[in-house]
């Protein structure tokens, strides 16, 4: 475990990815867990990372580590 929980309320699963928003481009960017917690990002568990959606007109960009499946 990495010691950082999911940012979703009432979720106690360990964080697996980090979500950031680029408001100017209407984009939600989900990538591998960042090296440290950042104040303007959200750490999400695997389940919440997979279920992530964005508002209408926004796009979701998902980055993954090379060799990682899923």
């Amino acid at each position: 475990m990495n010691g950082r929980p999911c940012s979703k309320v009432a979720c106690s699963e360990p964080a697996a990815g980090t979500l950031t928003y680029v408001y100017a481009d209407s984009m939600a960017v989900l990538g591998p867990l960042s090296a440290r917690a950042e104040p303007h990002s959200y750490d999400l568990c695997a389940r919440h990372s997979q279920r992530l959606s964005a508002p209408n007109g926004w796009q979701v960009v998902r980055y993954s580590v090379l060799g990682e499946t899923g």
Side-chain angles (χ1 to χ4, degrees):
M1 185 169 159
N2 59 43
R4 288 169 30 202
C6 181
S7 295
K8 290 288 191 172
V9 176
C11 183
S12 60
E13 293 296 313
T18 298
L19 171 66
T20 56
Y21 292 104
V22 182
Y23 292 97
D25 296 327
S26 301
M27 186 181 308
V29 181
L30 180 64
L33 188 62
S34 63
R36 62 180 189 271
E38 298 290 337
H40 300 290
S41 64
Y42 303 89
D43 294 333
L44 300 177
C45 67
R47 181 172 59 99
H48 285 117
S49 293
Q50 293 170 352
R51 296 177 60 183
L52 176 71
S53 62
N56 286 336
W58 281 57
Q59 69 181 61
V60 176
V61 176
R62 296 174 189 269
Y63 290 100
S64 61
V65 176
L66 290 176
E68 186 178 274
T69 59

